[in-house]
Amino acid sequence: MTEEVKAPKKEKIPRQPMPEQEPHVRARNFEEVPYGYTPELAMKEAERCIQCKDPRCKQGCPVEIDIPGFIKLIKEGDFEGSIRLLWEKNSLPAVCGRVCPQEVQCEGLCIIGKKDDPVAIGNLERFAADYQREKGKQILPPKAEPTGKKVAVVGAGPAGLTVAGDLVLKGHDITIFEALHGPGGVLLYGIPEFRLPKAIVAQECNYLERLGVKIEVNAVIGRSETVDELLERFDAVFLGVGAGLPVFLKIPGEHYIGVYSANEYLTRANLMKAYDFPNYDTPIVKGKKVATFGGGNVAMDGARTALRLGAEKSYIIYRRSHAELPARSAEIHHAEEEGVEFLLLTNPLKFLGDDDGRLTAVECLRQELGEPDASGRRRPVPIPGSEFVVEIDTAVISIGSGSNPLLTKSTPGLSLNKWGYIVADPKTGKTMKPRVWAGGDIVTGSATVILAMGAGRLASNSIHDFLTYGW
Amino acid sequence: MFEIVERQEMAQGTIISNWIKAPKIAAKAKPGQFVILRANETGERIPLTMADTDPAKGLINIIYMVVGKSTALFKTLQVGQGYLDVIGPLGQPTHLEKVGKVICVGGGTGIAVLHPITRGLKQMGNYVYSVIGARSKDLLILEDKMKAASDEVMICTDDGTYGHKGFVTDKLKETLERDKDIKLAVCIGPVPMMKFCAKVTQEYGVHTLVSLNPIMVDGTGMCGCCRVTVGGKMQFACVDGPEFDGHQVDWAELDLRLRSYTAEEKVSFDQFKAAHAPGCSCSR
């Protein structure tokens, strides 16, 4: 006897968490924190997407990925189809799936997020890219016929890689010039291994090389060759060199051994693999008590790197309160879980050192929040007489970066703003110098990977128009 | 790979000269500029000021003293082998001009850096005094080249095995005393030598250039590791230097920062020496 039953009401699927390493374990190793979705988890999460006709998530994506489209393909188990669709708009999906601030972009706008947790778009993007890389064939997207036009891309960071990936698909001949000995820019030297494994960066760059992009490392444009010399050999030049100038606190004692800019600390740890000293030759001060100054994503990276290098105490010292921390909430959460201590409303006054010039402590002043300032945030006001000393042997200064003048100073005809950043049309990336485009941090000042990629996308569209139509 | 086409051991094998194929760098490099070298995938980025270039052949010359793991590793590289990475030219070139009379002072491997600057100053039409020194006769390098690039050369050794017994500062002072027309001093060598040379020249009011060698990582102004205090201001040797006004440099600070990794360098070097010790490794 068959019993007729009504189809049960479709059960609501909760947002699928990504399995990850336990905080106390991962805080002591450099392996990636989350393991990623299994195909089953990914397909289950993909089911949560309701395939909006007018998807708002897509509006939140600086590179306009067809989000419902690639998710639908995952849901159907067509993982190769999903990566092909992603590649149409994004040449670095494994990177973006990991480091984009989805909560304020695609996922922040997801309609499901109104009443429930939004669809885990970032996790799904990461899954599609990882699955292809690990299990898929070596597939490539279709490429246009060669145009005979040559483009030089200066800087192999997120902006430059995006420009290269876009334009090579349109048939142009692309050469990337990178100052360091490996491509990736901040993806390589800045973002730590445990957030973005360097093997993945290498593979994303390798994907571009398989598409025909040439990458010349150890090429410091501005020194080894000037932009004007590139213009003799190339039809167009894109400048995506990053901000690249460390900012110090400008307090006494910054010369002590153990005081690092975040750029130096992370470059030693990531690019030079100093965490694996002496197997790698580059050393780093493996501090027992480390303070990272600043409250952004880079500061969280510094504080978490310190733990992995063996710190017993890793502090974040930030002058405003928890609510004003500029880092992504996920990064703050990860840092807190791993045991990073936050000394908030705290302003450093000076570093103290011993006779050998080694850092021993930092003297700080407590602050309280006063009236809102020009930015609308409540201004921290020092509390007189509240000085106190924190014993530290390593300091990581992570309060932003400035514009590195190495390239801009050697390039006549570029217009710079008062902070030394390149003036470029925000819609096209065109600079004041003919046939030269710019994008990313060297235009906007320190921002995110995806914003640099968005700027790269706008510039590559404009460069393609110029090469095709002459404007 | 950047191939070594010529290799020479100097100063009883403590100092090595390499001519390296790097046509792009050779075409651009000017006296006073440096390159960053990395021997292999696990290697450090080591900054070395170029000792010479041959743009026609596409070669650059570096001369370094073996002082630790990385330079010991460099020393193992033979002709036909090479460096994984060579980056440059980096830093500001020396400002070469005719000022009249100049004195160039070099100690140890500093002479290698000093030589192209000396030659440049001579070519500009300056009258060039040179003072070069080493601990001992066997350790003195580039005497002939310095003689060819100078009008008068004075030699000093700490132990008196050659030339004047004593420090280069003695001859520097003596020369400044006897010729008041000297307008510029260029002093390159170990930190204490440069510091004391600058002290001497300050007494005589002679403008003094020194070439600093702080620890670096990227060499493009990105990391701030090579920060030095010059005239009370923070400067990055990799982009603002490596040459600075010797009278303005905070020598004590530079000296401290150069010792940042003394302990780590020893660990690294000891490990290297153990692995490269002569004899069969299974017996250890």
Side-chain angles (χ1 to χ4, degrees), chain A residues 377-425:
Chain A
R377 298 186 297 180
R378 291 178 66 191
R379 185 199 303 271
V381 183
I383 304 172
S386 67
E387 289 87 350
F388 67 107
V389 169
V390 187
E391 273 183 35
I392 53 171
D393 53 17
T394 308
V396 181
I397 298 165
S398 178
I399 54 169
S401 39
S403 56
N404 188 317
L406 195 143
L407 178 129
T408 52
K409 266 195 175 168
S410 67
T411 310
L414 277 181
S415 184
L416 306 179
N417 69 17
K418 64 175 171 176
W419 298 284
Y421 294 110
I422 299 174
V423 175
D425 184 327

Side-chain angles (χ1 to χ4, degrees), chain B residues 17-276:
Chain B
S17 164
N18 281 167
W19 280 93
I20 304 165
K21 211 169 180 70
K24 281 192 167 181
I25 300 172
K28 287 271 171 173
K30 295 196 175 70
Q33 289 190 301
F34 67 96
V35 288
I36 282 185
L37 305 103
R38 197 168 72 120
N40 58 27
E41 195 49 48
T42 55
E44 263 183 296
R45 292 169 65 100
I46 299 291
L48 287 173
T49 303
M50 284 172 273
D52 210 345
T53 58
D54 186 339
K57 290 185 185 157
L59 303 177
I60 62 167
N61 180 214
I62 53 155
I63 296 179
Y64 58 88
M65 191 186 297
V66 178
V67 289
K69 154 83 191 265
S70 290
T71 40
L73 180 63
F74 285 5
K75 189 184 172 182
T76 64
L77 299 174
Q78 303 298 323
V79 171
Q81 298 177 310
Y83 296 85
L84 182 60
D85 301 295
V86 181
I87 304 117
L90 298 169
Q92 303 292 339
T94 312
H95 180 69
L96 296 171
E97 61 175 339
K98 182 169 179 181
V99 293
K101 289 182 173 176
V102 300
I103 184 159
C104 296
V105 188
T109 43
I111 301 168
V113 177
L114 185 70
H115 169 248
I117 299 168
T118 311
R119 190 175 54 192
L121 287 168
K122 174 93 178 122
Q123 280 165 357
M124 285 288 184
N126 292 291
Y127 187 89
V128 180
Y129 293 102
S130 288
V131 183
I132 54 174
R135 273 183 290 131
S136 182
K137 184 184 180 186
D138 298 338
L139 302 177
L140 186 72
I141 61 167
L142 301 182
E143 183 190 340
D144 293 344
K145 281 191 162 187
M146 284 302 288
K147 279 186 170 155
S150 318
D151 293 282
E152 287 180 44
V153 176
M154 290 152 269
I155 291 163
C156 310
T157 50
D158 297 1
D159 62 2
T161 43
Y162 191 33
H164 167 75
K165 180 178 192 292
F167 296 132
V168 287
T169 41
D170 304 341
K171 285 285 166 192
L172 171 65
K173 195 177 169 73
E174 197 183 293
T175 313
L176 291 175
E177 193 61 51
R178 85 175 134 99
D179 191 339
K180 302 288 184 197
D181 292 335
I182 295 173
K183 292 280 184 298
L184 171 72
V186 184
C187 308
I188 305 176
V191 168
M193 184 214 103
M194 290 193 285
K195 177 176 141 183
F196 286 112
C197 284
K199 244 186 182 166
V200 169
T201 58
Q202 195 155 24
E203 287 168 30
Y204 293 87
V206 175
H207 181 59
T208 300
L209 285 178
V210 293
S211 181
L212 305 186
N213 58 338
I215 302 170
M216 292 184 187
V217 184
D218 66 289
T220 61
M222 188 192 81
C223 82
C225 176
C226 66
R227 59 191 186 272
V228 288
T229 302
V230 181
K233 271 174 59 185
M234 187 191 286
Q235 301 269 294
F236 295 161
C238 68
V239 286
D240 301 319
E243 285 170 20
F244 293 101
D245 179 344
H247 299 156
Q248 303 286 326
V249 172
D250 184 333
W251 294 105
E253 182 187 302
L254 174 67
D255 195 38
L256 281 179
R257 285 188 61 77
L258 277 169
R259 283 186 257 145
S260 294
Y261 300 104
T262 315
E264 288 85 353
E265 280 159 8
K266 187 174 181 317
V267 168
S268 198
F269 199 14
D270 285 350
Q271 197 188 50
F272 180 86
K273 283 189 278 198
H276 289 77

Side-chain angles (χ1 to χ4, degrees), chain A residues 17 25-26 30 52 72 141 157 168 185 196 279 419 422 427 432 454:
Chain A
V25 176
R26 71 180 192 235
F30 274 87
C52 299
K72 182 162 180 281
V168 76
L196 179 63
N279 292 323
W419 298 284
I422 299 174
K427 290 201 181 69
M432 304 301 276

